[in-house]
Amino acid sequence: MHIVLQLIPKKYLIGGTLILLGLSGLLIMSTIVAITGEFEKDGQQSEVTEIEGGGIGVGTANVSPEVMKYQPLLEKYAQKHGLDASYVPIMMALMMQESGGRGNDPMQSSEYYCGSVGCISSPELSVDKRVLHFKSVLEKAHYDLKLCLQSYNCAQRS
């Protein structure tokens, strides 16, 4: 082995060693990031609740406890506006996306309802108006849920 090392110029030995050390360090760092990333992911899962889309779609969504507390209100206004309760999990996912269930306008209904940000200061009014809006968009999309979700934030006030 010693004879082989003598035949290879020192600059190649030093360069090769540095490359091997760099790759080893990268492998170790990648392993650490992968392990700590999994712990962080597990920690995030404990803060949210998984909901299922009922009979209207396949999939699940993680929603915060703040959103979960609005489930009865969403069900109330879905019934009031003649919308099947199986759409409530989808609207919970929309609320999670909009506000995480925080604030006085958890469904971010102000712009849709009055044309400007901040005109709604009642969570119940926010839910009422956005459930009505969701139903309207769903009907215009001929109950095509994917089209409804794509159009949900694009639709104009009616």
Side-chain angles (χ1 to χ4, degrees), residues 41-58:
K41 186 178 176 184
D42 291 342
Q44 290 172 350
Q45 294 293 329
S46 66
E47 297 171 8
V48 295
T49 302
E50 192 171 273
I51 59 171
E52 293 189 22
I56 58 171
V58 177

Side-chain angles (χ1 to χ4, degrees), residues 69-83:
K69 76 178 185 180
Y70 285 107
Q71 184 173 1
L73 199 58
L74 284 161
E75 290 168 349
K76 171 185 171 182
Y77 284 102
Q79 183 178 12
K80 175 186 173 186
H81 296 301
L83 187 63

Side-chain angles (χ1 to χ4, degrees), residues 5-127:
L5 292 177
Q6 288 178 348
L7 295 174
I8 301 173
K10 287 186 182 179
K11 65 180 182 181
Y12 293 124
L13 286 175
I14 293 171
T17 303
L18 290 175
I19 289 173
L20 285 175
L21 286 173
L23 289 174
S24 299
L26 186 61
L27 180 63
I28 291 169
M29 287 182 0
S30 299
T31 303
I32 291 170
V33 168
I35 290 171
T36 57
E38 287 300 315
F39 288 134
E40 185 177 319
K41 186 178 176 184
D42 291 342
Q44 290 172 350
Q45 294 293 329
S46 66
E47 297 171 8
V48 295
T49 302
E50 192 171 273
I51 59 171
E52 293 189 22
I56 58 171
V58 177
T60 59
N62 293 323
V63 297
S64 67
E66 291 85 1
V67 170
M68 287 301 298
K69 76 178 185 180
Y70 285 107
Q71 184 173 1
L73 199 58
L74 284 161
E75 290 168 349
K76 171 185 171 182
Y77 284 102
Q79 183 178 12
K80 175 186 173 186
H81 296 301
L83 187 63
D84 191 279
S86 64
Y87 289 102
V88 168
I90 295 291
M91 290 186 288
M92 290 172 69
L94 287 169
M95 182 187 290
M96 184 67 191
Q97 179 67 31
E98 295 287 352
S99 72
R102 294 179 298 276
N104 289 328
D105 188 4
M107 295 291 287
Q108 302 294 295
S109 301
S110 289
E111 288 183 66
Y112 154 73
Y113 179 60
C114 65
S116 64
V117 176
C119 71
I120 291 182
S121 59
S122 162
E124 188 157 350
L125 181 61
S126 176
V127 170

